[in-house]
Amino acid sequence: MAEELCEKLRTMAASSETTEINEPMTFKLKTIQEILKLHFKEKEKTRISGDALRLTTEVIRVFVKEASARAAMQAENSAEKEVTIEHLEKILPQLILDF
Amino acid sequence: MDDQNASDDLETLTHVQHLKAAVHYTVAKICEETGEEKHQTFSRQSIATISELTYRQIGSFAEDLELFARHAKRSMVGIDDVKLLVRKSLPLANHITQLAETLSSGTEEKKKKKPQRRKKKVSSTDPELNYQDNSTVENID
């Protein structure tokens, strides 16, 4: 029993270490800034602060993560190994409502 | 609007395509991450759909952020505008507020340093004053 616990703790520690080392993939700030600029109505006037840009990038990262995770769950529930657009179609309305 | 932009179309089209490609790349990476966690693979079509969706969502975010800033009579989009953007879902709002605090803590430290320096100056001048007072007292004696 004690050995099993030790092993479990070790694997948990290892997994937490790897998650700490591997930072979640995110967008380049410059990319997001360019796309935002492109969609501003008054392009010359409107600017975005550095912190606000970082927060917006995080929102977009969460959006993609949420979309992929929900689609993956939908695929899992229908006992399939690959996520297709059919799964995406099912989760899309609620996803858009949540953002 | 389209007629005005028609001459720029060739230049902007490639620019937009570059940006879409960049979004597609990152979306594919994030999907890969999620796929590993959930033991699923993502079809090419689904990744393309998510990236197109994301690109349009960013456009919608941009319009909202600009309007929020304009409503507050600012031309600079700030942290508060982003907080307003995520008001619909509470967990996301909490997450963003937390991140905003960690980001602003760096700038707050800079602000805190200034009063400390002032205090030091005051404290350094105080002994001098006391010393002068003492010396005058001594002189009188």
Side-chain angles (χ1 to χ4, degrees), chain B residues 18-131:
Chain B
H18 272 294
L19 292 173
K20 280 192 178 180
V23 170
H24 188 282
Y25 170 79
T26 313
V27 167
K29 285 274 180 191
I30 296 176
C31 283
E32 208 177 287
E33 260 182 20
T34 316
E36 278 173 22
E37 286 165 21
K38 309 253 174 191
H39 307 291
Q40 292 274 355
T41 54
F42 283 78
S43 72
R44 287 170 151 272
Q45 275 180 316
S46 62
I47 290 175
T49 313
I50 295 178
S51 40
E52 186 62 31
L53 195 65
T54 310
Y55 187 83
R56 290 185 188 213
Q57 191 72 20
I58 298 171
S60 147
F61 283 163
E63 280 180 20
D64 286 351
L65 286 173
E66 187 182 31
L67 281 175
F68 291 153
R70 195 56 33 85
H71 187 70
K73 297 188 171 107
R74 279 184 276 109
S75 62
M76 180 81 108
V77 174
I79 292 175
D80 291 338
D81 301 321
V82 184
K83 282 183 190 167
L84 213 54
L85 189 73
V86 293
R87 72 195 177 282
K88 280 176 196 167
S89 96
L90 191 63
L92 183 59
N94 289 338
H95 175 63
I96 292 301
T97 312
Q98 209 180 331
L99 193 66
E101 276 165 15
T102 54
L103 282 178
S104 61
S105 64
T107 50
E108 269 176 29
E109 276 173 23
K110 281 177 192 169
K111 282 176 188 171
K112 275 178 189 171
K113 275 179 187 174
K114 281 180 184 173
Q116 277 177 353
R117 277 177 195 166
R118 276 177 201 161
K119 273 180 191 172
K120 274 180 190 172
K121 275 180 186 172
V122 171
S123 59
S124 65
T125 49
D126 278 345
E128 282 173 20
L129 285 171
N130 290 337
Y131 182 73

Side-chain angles (χ1 to χ4, degrees), chain A residues 22-65:
Chain A
N22 297 333
E23 276 190 12
M25 184 72 194
T26 192
F27 294 90
K28 280 185 182 170
L29 293 180
K30 195 76 186 165
T31 308
I32 301 301
Q33 191 183 17
E34 286 293 317
I35 301 175
L36 287 176
K37 252 198 237 167
L38 218 61
H39 286 89
F40 285 149
K41 294 267 160 58
E42 295 173 52
K43 281 164 198 175
E44 280 84 40
K45 252 186 157 184
T46 314
R47 288 170 303 137
I48 183 161
S49 75
D51 282 353
L53 183 62
R54 244 171 242 133
L55 289 182
T56 314
T57 308
E58 176 64 8
V59 174
I60 295 159
R61 188 192 70 81
V62 171
F63 175 78
V64 177
K65 192 77 189 165

